[in-house]
Amino acid sequence: MIRLYYILGLLLLFSCGKKEGEVITSANVRDVLTRYGKEHPETEVLIETKYGNMRLRLYEDTPLHRANFIKLIKEGYYEDADFYRIVYEFMIQGGDLKKNLGYRIPSEFNPKYIHKKGALSMARVDENNPNLESSAAEFFIVHGGRYLPEDVDMEARNLGLTLTPQQKETYAANGGYMTLDMKYTVFGELIEGIEVVDKIATEKVYSTDKPLREIPFKISVVR
């Protein structure tokens, strides 16, 4: 009996010491993430893979997405995550499909941010999503391809986009995936490790875009 009380006491001690994050729902998502973002202003994260490391900067003017990403990282959501979808000259997508958080992030489209190579964006579903809200946790990094200078204007015009001269030059010189602009929320970009994206993007995949070999990653908040 004494041993049982001892074990129960230890369980109680550990449960009290465990810090649980505030639960987000579709009703409170804006309030919780706004408050969390003020308390956690970090804007830089590190993704470690067997191919090398990627350092990313998160944009402060996409506050809900930045706060949500930081919150998930700090609370260990991505501990068993991997890059589970790869499309060459498109993107590498990561997350943990075994988990369902039950909420979406309101879109934060900003014409300053385009889906250039190395852009960090949030995935989303198309069905029953008229406001193009983002997935709670599934993200992707753009691999993309280069555009011919003469094709940039035509593609932008067809998509109804207004690009600055610098953005046009970025698509022509470095590449990206213009079709996603103003449809998916870009909330950060690579500042180191673009060669890692290139390596992952060339991995062999099944017909479902799933890589033949698992590509797990470890993600942490830098500052």
Side-chain angles (χ1 to χ4, degrees):
M1 182 64 71
I2 294 176
R3 184 178 181 183
L4 176 61
Y5 285 146
Y6 177 74
I7 294 174
L8 290 175
L10 285 177
L11 291 174
L12 180 61
L13 176 64
F14 288 134
S15 65
C16 290
K18 184 179 179 180
K19 184 177 180 181
E20 295 289 346
E22 186 171 4
V23 176
I24 299 178
T25 67
S26 57
N28 70 10
V29 57
R30 284 186 180 274
D31 290 339
V32 172
L33 291 181
T34 298
R35 183 167 59 254
Y36 189 91
K38 292 178 180 178
E39 297 170 352
H40 301 266
E42 295 93 340
T43 59
E44 196 171 307
V45 302
L46 181 70
I47 298 179
E48 300 173 69
T49 76
K50 60 185 177 182
Y51 299 95
N53 299 340
M54 295 176 281
R55 190 178 294 261
L56 300 103
R57 176 173 64 88
L58 310 183
Y59 301 142
E60 295 184 36
D61 43 4
T62 51
L64 300 180
H65 284 71
R66 184 199 65 79
N68 182 74
F69 204 51
I70 294 295
K71 186 175 190 294
L72 294 183
I73 294 170
K74 287 190 170 184
E75 293 177 2
Y77 176 88
Y78 293 113
E79 285 182 356
D80 298 315
D82 63 344
F83 286 107
Y84 59 82
R85 185 184 177 211
I86 295 172
V87 183
Y88 181 71
E89 291 193 337
F90 181 23
M91 57 83 206
I92 60 173
Q93 185 164 318
D96 188 343
L97 293 177
K98 300 184 295 294
K99 299 176 182 176
N100 183 6
L101 292 176
Y103 68 92
R104 296 174 180 170
I105 312 170
S107 59
E108 294 180 294
F109 302 141
N110 190 325
K112 290 195 306 183
Y113 303 132
I114 60 175
H115 284 85
K116 62 185 179 181
K117 185 173 184 177
L120 173 66
S121 189
M122 219 64 181
R124 63 168 174 77
V125 296
D126 293 323
E127 298 79 13
N128 301 315
N129 191 10
N131 296 320
L132 306 183
E133 295 178 310
S134 299
S135 161
E138 311 309 310
F139 67 92
F140 63 91
I141 301 172
V142 176
H143 184 232
R146 292 181 180 177
Y147 292 80
L148 294 174
E150 58 268 27
D151 290 341
V152 173
D153 284 325
M154 181 180 67
E155 185 76 0
R157 190 164 50 248
N158 291 339
L159 294 170
L161 300 172
T162 301
L163 301 179
T164 66
Q166 183 178 2
Q167 289 172 332
K168 293 178 182 179
E169 173 62 24
T170 295
Y171 273 128
N174 301 321
Y177 211 85
M178 198 184 306
T179 308
L180 303 177
D181 288 350
M182 304 305 290
K183 295 178 182 176
Y184 293 77
T185 297
V186 179
F187 67 104
E189 63 181 85
L190 275 179
I191 54 178
E192 291 179 16
I194 195 65
E195 71 281 357
V196 179
V197 178
D198 290 333
K199 292 176 183 178
I200 295 175
T202 57
E203 274 287 302
K204 293 182 178 179
V205 298
Y206 295 102
S207 59
T208 55
D209 300 329
K210 179 180 176 61
L212 297 181
R213 299 181 296 178
E214 287 191 356
I215 307 176
F217 62 80
K218 176 183 178 184
I219 185 167
S220 56
V221 177
V222 178
R223 58 181 180 181

